[in-house]
Amino acid sequence: MPLSANDTKRKSWIEVPANSDFPIQNIPFGVFLTKENVVTVGTRIGDSAIDLGALQQLGYFAGIELTDDMFIQDTLNDFISDGKKTWRLVRNRIAEIFDENNSKLRDNAQHRNIIIFNINEVEMQLPVLIGDYTDFYSSKIHASNVGKMIRNEENALLPNWPQMPIAYHGRSSTIIPSGIPVHRPLGQTLPPDATTPVFGASRSVDFELETAFITTDANIMGEMIPISEAEDYIFGMVLLNDWTARDIQKWEYMPLGPLLSKNFATSISPWIVTMDALEPFRVASPKQNPSPLPYLQQKGKHSFDINLEVAIQPEKAEPTVVSKSNFKHMYWTMNQQLTHHTSNGCRINSGDMMGSGAISGPTPDSYGSMLELTWGGEKPLKLNNGSERKFINDNDTVIFKGYCENSQVRIGFGEVTSKLLPPFVRK
């Protein structure tokens, strides 16, 4: 089926600001609350949020087999479950409806008033009901940097790391959309030179610059997804801030890995950018040495050229960009992650989310966490207002941005923004 929605010559009758992340070639999917307090599935072009539930009720998806309530829901799970053919049909149809040469909706003021909102008039929601969340550890640069701090340069990577995508099972109950603040977590830590742990607020709250992919129903229990088919089960991607309490993590991670240091909050961008929209930005991933086992081997371009940026904004101050990285640096691909995840027969469902792990580039200004940027706090970062940061302070806002761009089109994710508040106090 052709990807007509990707036609770079197409223009929309909806105004799209210069350098917008959301031209008509993007057509991401999300869920929002309208000014009438109606929750609906939607998409975005420029600064306009488009109510797909209203669009369906008014007959604009005629000819595409959809349940009557497909877009009149508070999650995208059912739509994602319908599979790749439906995703493409709907996305292509949306591109046709909003093409500058299509007058059907353009010239119907009554329908436009029902369907289209200014983005500032809606409240973005979590786009999917996330049943399961897995966070990978797939940046070789990030894993090497952390290994050097914990162990030494010679043993930075453990023997299993180059052989398979390493991951831990996360907590879906505290995944939140952009804009929701996060409280500094409490937990056990072991102070320097102490032999007994203490309980209190984390002193080393960090971000991890990540993306995540959202799956459709992929397999039955016991079935492995072949590497050649894995991408068919990936709906799209979001930006992800994997909040981390480094001091809690340092004390709890042996022998089973993170728990309370990670599961207090995970922030994601609200618009899911489809793999079809990202198709023009395919690139080869880094050469893998040693070569993976046969079930993880793949040829061709299976990574994506996604520019990523992190900024820290103190309260009542301008933001400071502290890192610029790129998704193409990831050692393990999304296809390899999904195939490995199912290699033991683990079932994957619609709306499951897989985090990439921190995305670190090859230079110090492209590292994906404060742990690396300040090298464990040894080299504090200076912000534009003159203050310094070893980790994230209370009332700091962390802002992630991500976009792909070539000479013809820019496809972006918008932002994932979240403010760190002091520890929660019961009233």
Side-chain angles (χ1 to χ4, degrees), residues 22 37 40 59 176 227 233 282 306 348 365 371 381:
F22 303 102
N37 290 320
T40 185
I176 52 177
I227 190 76
Y233 301 101
R282 285 184 177 274
I306 305 173
I348 303 297
D365 60 352
L371 180 68
L381 295 179

Side-chain angles (χ1 to χ4, degrees), residues 17-85:
N19 296 318
S20 171
D21 281 351
F22 303 102
I24 194 172
Q25 290 79 13
N26 190 339
I27 310 178
F29 292 89
V31 173
F32 57 79
L33 182 69
T34 72
K35 57 187 177 182
E36 287 84 18
N37 290 320
V38 175
V39 177
T40 185
V41 172
T43 188
R44 177 174 176 174
I45 297 176
D47 291 333
S48 295
I50 296 160
D51 183 342
L52 296 184
L55 205 62
Q56 182 181 9
Q57 288 179 306
L58 291 169
Y60 287 88
F61 291 121
I64 301 177
E65 292 186 13
L66 300 170
T67 58
D68 291 341
D69 65 344
M70 179 64 78
F71 298 124
I72 313 171
Q73 301 193 42
D74 57 4
T75 75
L76 281 159
N77 293 59
D78 282 358
F79 176 59
I80 295 173
S81 288
D82 255 25
K84 199 168 188 175
K85 179 181 178 181

Side-chain angles (χ1 to χ4, degrees), residues 63-323:
I64 301 177
E65 292 186 13
L66 300 170
T67 58
D68 291 341
D69 65 344
M70 179 64 78
F71 298 124
I72 313 171
Q73 301 193 42
D74 57 4
T75 75
L76 281 159
N77 293 59
D78 282 358
F79 176 59
I80 295 173
S81 288
D82 255 25
K84 199 168 188 175
K85 179 181 178 181
T86 299
W87 310 338
R88 285 189 174 178
L89 285 170
V90 168
R91 187 166 166 271
N92 284 347
R93 177 66 60 84
I94 293 169
E96 292 170 10
I97 293 168
F98 292 94
D99 187 290
E100 65 178 350
N101 297 313
N102 189 336
S103 62
K104 184 176 180 181
L105 177 58
R106 183 193 67 195
D107 296 346
N108 189 327
Q110 182 182 6
H111 283 189
R112 288 200 318 272
N113 289 335
I114 297 171
I115 291 167
I116 303 172
F117 301 86
N118 185 282
I119 194 66
N120 295 322
E121 297 176 330
V122 304
E123 182 181 320
M124 299 305 300
Q125 310 292 301
L126 203 64
V128 291
L129 177 62
I130 300 168
D132 281 297
Y133 162 46
T134 301
D135 194 33
F136 283 89
Y137 189 51
S138 291
S139 164
K140 188 173 184 179
I141 298 167
H142 173 71
S144 297
N145 285 339
V146 174
K148 290 173 188 176
M149 291 183 222
I150 296 175
R151 293 177 291 275
N152 53 56
E153 190 159 353
E154 292 71 27
N155 299 295
L157 291 179
L158 293 173
N160 63 346
W161 197 95
Q163 300 290 345
M164 62 180 177
I166 302 296
Y168 73 93
H169 195 76
R171 181 80 179 171
S172 61
S173 62
T174 43
I175 298 172
I176 52 177
S178 177
I180 304 297
V182 170
H183 286 279
R184 181 177 294 273
L186 305 176
Q188 280 195 31
T189 61
L190 186 67
D193 302 322
T195 57
T196 304
V198 298
F199 182 82
S202 168
R203 295 175 178 269
S204 307
V205 175
D206 198 356
F207 64 79
E208 285 197 358
L209 173 61
E210 300 193 25
T211 62
F213 64 87
I214 310 295
T215 66
T216 185
D217 302 291
N219 60 341
I220 58 174
M221 190 170 175
E223 177 187 16
M224 182 177 83
I225 300 171
I227 190 76
S228 60
E229 299 176 14
E231 200 166 294
D232 290 338
Y233 301 101
I234 300 175
F235 174 64
M237 296 176 68
V238 295
L239 304 177
L240 183 149
N241 183 353
D242 181 29
W243 290 96
T244 304
R246 296 296 179 188
D247 46 356
I248 297 174
Q249 181 182 25
K250 185 177 181 180
W251 173 235
E252 75 174 1
Y253 85 99
M254 297 181 289
L256 291 180
L259 179 67
L260 300 182
S261 59
K262 293 278 191 177
N263 67 10
F264 63 97
T266 304
S267 303
I268 66 171
S269 54
W271 295 107
I272 303 175
V273 178
T274 65
M275 301 314 298
D276 280 350
L278 296 171
E279 184 66 29
F281 304 97
R282 285 184 177 274
V283 292
S285 51
K287 181 176 175 60
Q288 295 182 325
N289 185 24
S291 181
L293 295 176
Y295 79 103
L296 290 173
Q297 291 178 8
Q298 56 185 352
K299 295 181 179 179
K301 298 178 179 180
H302 297 287
S303 190
F304 296 86
D305 184 6
I306 305 173
N307 299 293
L308 300 166
E309 177 183 293
V310 182
I312 298 173
Q313 183 176 16
E315 195 164 39
K316 299 179 181 179
E318 292 299 311
T320 301
V321 174
V322 298
S323 178

